[in-house]
Amino acid sequence: MPDNVDPCLCTHLIYAFAGMRSNKIATYAWDDVKLYHEFNALKNKNKNLKTLLSVGGWNFGTEKFTAMVSSAGSRQIFIKSAISFLRGYGFDGLDVDWEYPGSRGSPPRDKHLYTVLAQELMAAFEAEGKSTGKPRLLLSLAVAGGKSNIDTGYEVPQLGQIVDFFNVMTYDFFGPWNHTTGENSPLYALPNSKSTLNLEFNVNFAMKYWLKKGAPAEKLNVGFATYGHTFRLTSSAHGVGAPASGAGPAGPYTRQAGFLAYYEICSFLKTATVVWNTPQMVPYAYRGREWIGYDNVKSFQDKIAWMKKVNIGGAMVWDLALDDFSGAFCGQGAYPLINTLHSGLGVSTGCVPSRKPQKPPVPSGGGGGGSGFCAGKTNGTYPDPKDKSKFYECVNGRTYEESCASGLVFDTSCQCCNWP
């Protein structure tokens, strides 16, 4: 939850994910509005922190993106809704996580329309910043690490001229969908293997391919994973490339087969054999028929050294909640992996509180039993029947009064503040 986040760890925090309804950006979970306020209130503790809202994600698919970019009119509907939504909730920018233009059901024309969307978003952000006197909204893109998805999805030189930065998803290179074990986010390819998967599915190849395609190095962020993928071994072999069939068992907290958070991995390692994979500069571990490829503090340090050598702009992490955020599992303090990034990349340690606090929503009308407007109502967002610029957020019977930014009204179609 936002309370668990150290606001001094990162330069930018991204809230994932928002959705889309009728080509307008929209909340995804019932408590998003409450969490938006808590998330953006982290800027009270670090006045230099920037927050972005990410729209899309893997599970979101491509269909709604394809529909939205298909015409100038639908793109403008999205862009206007994004500006009002971001400003209304206090975000500093938008992250577009379309996975992926030109594949997974998205037609080839979307490759160019993705560029057009980025151009129009940035033009609108610049115009809105000038007209309001506010700092321009930021624009970042979450982009593929696999060569085929890069080729089919992105006009790289054009995008490089438009956006503030690319978050390259250099992880999920191997997982239980493969029939042999493999590292989630290896730095290098394995030697003596000519397979395309091995040669292309690693951090070094992916980032150098983005550079080769024309992305500015200073706008590229390398993806770092605070989780690993598990496999079920089918023989006594237990190296990288050992035969496997499907996912290892789900972790006690993340509860997803084939996937463990770093803090769950720390518990797994207590009874497992750990091996440092020297050629790929990442560890793996096995216990009985369970096998996991993951990252640790050492592999993060090695990737940081590589980043400095290649002169890549920065790092992006998926995600905060998967690191040992409480420090209770790994014995390495809170956020051991992300702290390694923070210190290794020389991120400023000066965390200066803001003088103008971001106000959280004010509860009105009593405690958890429910009174006031939200008494007896299900959790959700409701318009104020008396004032179009206000709305109520109902959370377990508690009433939170909210106000839209000046000039905006609450729009029930997107559950957001919008232009009248």
Side-chain angles (χ1 to χ4, degrees):
M1 303 300 280
D3 280 353
N4 302 118
V5 176
D6 177 351
C8 306
L9 269 182
C10 301
T11 57
H12 300 68
L13 292 178
I14 303 179
Y15 187 111
F17 289 105
M20 212 186 293
R21 281 195 288 273
S22 305
N23 296 317
K24 294 178 180 179
I25 197 166
T27 54
Y28 177 76
W30 67 267
D31 57 350
D32 272 339
V33 169
K34 174 176 175 285
L35 293 175
Y36 290 165
H37 283 280
E38 294 174 8
F39 180 78
N40 284 313
L42 292 168
K43 289 185 279 191
N44 294 339
K45 299 173 185 174
N46 180 3
K47 72 173 186 178
N48 297 316
L49 179 66
K50 302 296 181 190
T51 59
L52 293 89
L53 179 64
S54 187
V55 59
W58 177 264
N59 292 333
F60 185 77
T62 60
E63 194 175 323
K64 289 184 177 180
F65 277 120
T66 292
M68 182 267 287
V69 298
S70 64
S71 74
S74 52
R75 290 193 302 273
Q76 284 306 309
I77 289 169
F78 174 78
I79 292 165
K80 285 178 181 174
S81 79
I83 291 171
S84 62
F85 199 95
L86 297 168
R87 292 299 193 197
Y89 292 121
F91 288 96
D92 300 302
L94 181 72
D95 175 70
V96 180
D97 191 353
W98 179 348
E99 301 185 29
Y100 299 101
S103 58
R104 294 185 74 212
S106 164
R109 68 173 181 271
D110 284 353
K111 178 176 180 176
H112 177 63
L113 291 174
Y114 182 74
T115 308
V116 174
L117 174 67
Q119 287 169 332
E120 291 176 353
L121 273 166
M122 184 55 81
F125 286 179
E126 286 174 343
E128 188 267 351
K130 282 177 185 166
S131 68
T132 60
K134 294 177 181 175
R136 172 180 62 75
L137 290 165
L138 298 168
L139 178 61
S140 67
L141 306 177
V143 293
K147 180 179 181 293
S148 63
N149 286 331
I150 297 168
D151 289 340
T152 56
Y154 312 114
E155 296 176 338
V156 178
Q158 293 90 326
L159 291 170
Q161 291 173 3
I162 301 162
V163 303
D164 290 300
F165 49 88
F166 298 93
N167 293 319
V168 188
M169 293 181 276
T170 42
Y171 37 68
D172 297 331
F173 283 133
F174 292 88
W177 51 87
N178 298 110
H179 298 297
T180 57
T181 61
E183 298 281 9
N184 177 42
S185 182
L187 180 52
Y188 295 113
L190 276 172
N192 308 320
S193 171
K194 296 290 187 281
S195 82
T196 303
L197 268 185
N198 172 60
L199 295 174
E200 295 178 2
F201 279 39
N202 57 81
V203 174
N204 180 63
F205 178 90
M207 297 310 297
K208 286 184 176 175
Y209 194 65
W210 272 96
L211 289 169
K212 183 180 171 184
K213 295 281 279 191
E218 68 276 8
K219 289 187 177 184
L220 287 172
N221 293 329
V222 186
F224 281 72
T226 53
Y227 66 93
H229 280 303
T230 62
F231 301 74
R232 192 167 288 283
L233 298 169
T234 57
S235 73
S236 58
H238 47 67
V240 176
S245 63
Y253 301 100
T254 52
R255 292 179 291 187
Q256 180 183 330
F259 180 100
L260 291 179
Y262 182 64
Y263 60 86
E264 292 172 320
I265 293 169
C266 287
S267 299
F268 176 85
L269 297 181
K270 289 173 183 173
T271 54
T273 301
V274 180
V275 180
W276 178 253
N277 175 354
T278 302
Q280 298 193 288
M281 300 183 86
V282 277
Y284 66 86
Y286 59 94
R287 181 180 68 190
R289 289 292 167 96
E290 294 174 55
W291 193 98
I292 184 163
Y294 64 104
D295 272 273
N296 62 9
V297 169
K298 177 170 167 50
S299 68
F300 267 43
Q301 289 169 336
D302 288 341
K303 286 177 180 175
I304 291 165
W306 171 89
M307 279 176 63
K308 289 177 177 177
K309 193 169 66 180
V310 181
N311 210 21
I312 294 290
M316 172 271 290
V317 180
W318 183 272
D319 67 16
L320 286 165
L322 300 173
D323 199 353
D324 186 14
F325 61 87
S326 68
F329 291 85
C330 301
Q332 301 168 318
Y335 291 105
L337 296 179
I338 300 171
N339 263 309
T340 300
L341 273 179
H342 180 96
S343 56
L345 293 175
V347 176
S348 169
T349 51
C351 196
V352 184
S354 172
R355 291 184 179 179
K356 289 184 179 177
Q358 312 266 333
K359 292 181 182 175
V362 180
S364 103
S371 60
F373 179 86
C374 290
K377 288 188 171 61
T378 56
N379 290 333
T381 310
Y382 299 85
D384 183 332
K386 297 175 186 171
D387 189 336
K388 289 182 178 178
S389 70
K390 294 184 177 177
F391 59 98
Y392 294 104
E393 183 71 17
C394 297
V395 183
N396 299 333
R398 289 176 74 88
T399 303
Y400 292 87
E401 293 181 15
E402 312 275 3
S403 295
C404 293
S406 177
L408 305 181
V409 297
F410 183 72
D411 181 347
T412 52
S413 70
C414 65
Q415 296 284 290
C416 69
C417 294
N418 211 338
W419 302 108

